[in-house]
Amino acid sequence: MAKLSKIWNDINASYWFYPALFSFGAIALSVVTIWLDRNGYAEALGNVDWLYPARPEGASNMLTVIAGSMIGVASTVFSITIAAVAYASGNYGPRLLTNFMENKGNQLSLATFIGTFVYAIMVLRVVRVEGETSLQDTVSTALPGFVPQLSLLVAFVLMVVSVMVLVYFLNHVPASIRINSVLEGIGSRLLRDIKSDFDRPLEEHVEMENPSGREVNAAGTGYVQVVDFERLQRIARAAGGHLQLGVRTGDFVHPKVALALWEDDDGLDDLRDEEIRECFALGSMRTPSQDLHFLIDELVEIGLRALSPGINDPFTAISTLHWLGAATAELGRRDLRRRFGDEDEEQRLNLLADDFEHYVERGFGSIRSGVATSPNAAVVMFDTLLDASTSIKDPHRNELLRKEGQSLVRQAREDLSGPSLEWVEDRYTRFEKLMAG
């Protein structure tokens, strides 16, 4: 299942799947409509006053125009998409390439134009002018003209739909590469994954522990893209042992790196170790699937790029801080331990216990060095940490946010001076007062 999930993720981030699917669908649709035309099921269309029957020459010209224009539009759409992807990944970070490749608006737009082109070509091949001869008979005989009226009507409808999709696409591309839209897409997905992965409210602290036990090492090299957690739980239950994962989704592994550890391996064998390895799908790059850290890293990368001297865009960094604050607040309210199987079933699979401090450091800790160079971003980060703390009832987790604010002001004292530093110091004083109260 892990490998199947990886294959589906690869397909989902490709530009060939939906065009291929729509092409086969167009072929099937053309076969059905042509069969209906040939067997007289579409004769009723001739009785509709506003549907003027097309002649063979007009039908051929119309289908030729549709097919030619659609393949031309498809080429233009593909070029625009690649240009937009190159622009976004170059300005916001190469990690965002996967997000744009997965964009369904771009994939389905391209698929619509290619599907319409294939349908028009399939129908065009059966249009027959009066007096044409059969190629199958030994004696040449003139054949009556044939115009598939229903198929022609469907081609016209597909052309109208394609024009509507083109208008949508021309609006969708510039909207999708706006930085606020990019951040919203990443932040919304991050919040959704947090709620899905950690679906229980906070019950007790989760402390980081070093895994121990007999190691099950990786056999390949690459990034962990998908982990079949449910199967790992079943393997441990069948073996009567307990598994502790040694890596997270998104970690880079190579042979001799411990994927998992048997905490009690009495009676276990190498066959079960091989089953465990099959639960990990490796790839050449990280993906957002099952990887909260990847989404956090994307936000951090956008923020650091915005605060770099070459770009100097603190307001983009401020938007990044807002989404990081929302994710941190959501994490702070939840139990960061994941359960697999039934609620009353013994948990035989334990993940790497990423505590709240780990996520704070991954987000705010990683972006701190860039934020400290911008007074605008620094004061917003104090406000963001304060806002996150208001929804977190655990004093230990709130203390971690307070320490992050202290680290920020120490860094700002190294990078700022004059009125800018005084502004940051004033906001930090207010932050400390409110956090303490």
Side-chain angles (χ1 to χ4, degrees):
M1 290 302 299
K3 292 180 180 178
L4 289 176
S5 297
K6 176 187 179 301
I7 292 173
W8 171 246
N9 291 335
D10 292 341
I11 290 175
N12 196 43
S14 68
Y15 278 152
W16 64 264
F17 177 68
Y18 284 105
L21 187 65
F22 277 41
S23 296
F24 285 117
I27 293 173
L29 178 62
S30 67
V31 170
V32 172
T33 57
I34 291 171
W35 183 86
L36 292 173
D37 279 312
R38 281 179 169 167
N39 289 274
Y41 291 100
E43 291 180 355
L45 293 176
N47 300 324
V48 181
D49 295 336
W50 55 275
L51 286 178
Y52 299 102
R55 296 178 179 274
E57 185 177 354
S60 298
N61 291 336
M62 175 181 172
L63 292 170
T64 301
V65 170
I66 292 176
S69 59
M70 286 302 104
I71 198 63
V73 169
S75 301
T76 303
V77 164
F78 183 74
S79 300
I80 293 174
T81 301
I82 295 302
V85 168
Y87 168 83
S89 61
N91 284 271
Y92 309 143
R95 287 183 180 85
L96 290 174
L97 184 60
T98 302
N99 302 58
F100 285 96
M101 291 292 289
E102 290 180 351
N103 190 291
K104 290 295 180 290
N106 297 340
Q107 293 178 357
L108 294 177
S109 296
L110 181 62
T112 300
F113 302 132
I114 292 180
T116 303
F117 164 76
V118 172
Y119 181 85
I121 290 295
M122 291 295 295
V123 176
L124 179 61
R125 61 185 290 273
V126 302
V127 176
R128 187 171 60 239
V129 179
E130 184 77 27
E132 289 187 3
T133 58
S134 174
L135 299 177
Q136 297 178 347
D137 299 336
T138 56
V139 179
S140 297
T141 56
L143 299 174
F146 175 68
V147 178
Q149 300 293 340
L150 175 61
S151 301
L152 199 63
L153 178 61
V154 173
F156 180 79
V157 171
L158 290 177
M159 180 197 69
V160 174
V161 171
S162 297
V163 171
M164 296 170 63
V165 170
L166 177 61
V167 174
Y168 158 80
F169 176 80
L170 294 177
N171 173 74
H172 171 74
V173 169
S176 65
I177 62 176
R178 287 187 304 185
I179 187 59
N180 288 336
S181 298
V182 173
L183 290 173
E184 181 185 13
I186 300 172
S188 298
R189 183 169 184 174
L190 176 58
L191 292 174
R192 185 170 61 251
D193 288 352
I194 290 173
K195 295 174 183 177
S196 174
D197 291 348
F198 311 115
D199 55 354
R200 295 179 299 166
L202 174 64
E203 296 178 358
E204 57 181 324
H205 297 307
V206 176
E207 300 293 341
M208 292 284 286
E209 297 180 359
N210 294 323
S212 60
R214 184 175 67 82
E215 297 182 354
V216 180
N217 295 324
T221 302
Y223 291 97
V224 178
Q225 292 186 340
V226 180
V227 181
D228 191 345
F229 298 110
E230 297 294 340
R231 186 183 177 194
L232 287 171
Q233 167 77 2
R234 292 195 298 269
I235 292 172
R237 182 175 64 241
H242 293 80
L243 271 175
Q244 167 71 54
L245 291 194
V247 296
R248 308 176 185 88
T249 308
D251 287 352
F252 188 83
V253 300
H254 51 81
K256 303 307 179 182
V257 171
L259 296 175
L261 300 95
W262 284 110
E263 295 182 353
D264 40 7
D265 61 348
D266 294 341
L268 303 182
D269 51 40
D270 292 338
L271 291 177
R272 288 202 174 95
D273 288 359
E274 187 60 33
E275 288 186 68
I276 292 174
R277 294 187 185 96
E278 293 175 354
C279 295
F280 294 82
L282 307 182
S284 60
M285 60 184 180
R286 295 173 63 189
T287 66
S289 177
Q290 297 187 351
D291 190 359
L292 292 178
H293 299 84
F294 181 80
L295 297 170
I296 294 174
D297 291 347
E298 283 186 322
L299 291 175
V300 170
E301 181 176 10
I302 292 174
L304 290 176
R305 278 174 171 261
L307 292 170
S308 63
I311 298 178
N312 192 22
D313 180 13
F315 297 103
T316 293
I318 288 171
S319 297
T320 301
L321 291 170
H322 289 157
W323 284 106
L324 282 175
T328 302
E330 197 67 48
L331 287 165
R333 295 192 294 267
R334 297 181 176 273
D335 188 341
L336 300 182
R337 296 172 301 174
R338 295 182 62 182
R339 294 182 61 86
F340 305 97
D342 299 331
E343 284 293 330
D344 56 349
E345 180 182 348
E346 181 184 359
Q347 291 299 299
R348 294 183 174 275
L349 173 65
N350 296 314
L351 308 187
L352 281 177
D354 293 330
D355 55 12
F356 185 67
E357 182 178 7
H358 167 83
Y359 286 106
V360 173
E361 284 294 327
R362 190 84 182 211
F364 287 115
S366 298
I367 203 174
R368 183 198 312 134
S369 60
V371 171
T373 64
S374 170
N376 289 311
V379 297
V380 169
M381 182 165 164
F382 286 128
D383 292 340
T384 302
L385 292 170
L386 186 62
D387 291 341
S389 69
T390 58
S391 62
I392 300 175
K393 305 306 180 184
D394 181 52
H396 173 72
R397 293 185 172 183
N398 280 329
E399 182 61 24
L400 292 174
L401 296 180
R402 181 181 180 182
K403 290 181 179 178
E404 186 59 41
Q406 294 171 350
S407 299
L408 174 61
V409 76
R410 289 202 306 271
Q411 186 70 47
R413 288 166 183 161
E414 298 290 332
D415 297 321
L416 298 176
S417 60
S420 295
L421 180 59
E422 293 174 3
W423 182 24
V424 173
E425 291 277 11
D426 289 342
R427 188 58 62 92
Y428 169 69
T429 302
R430 174 176 173 270
F431 167 80
E432 276 287 341
K433 180 179 179 180
L434 293 174
M435 289 293 290

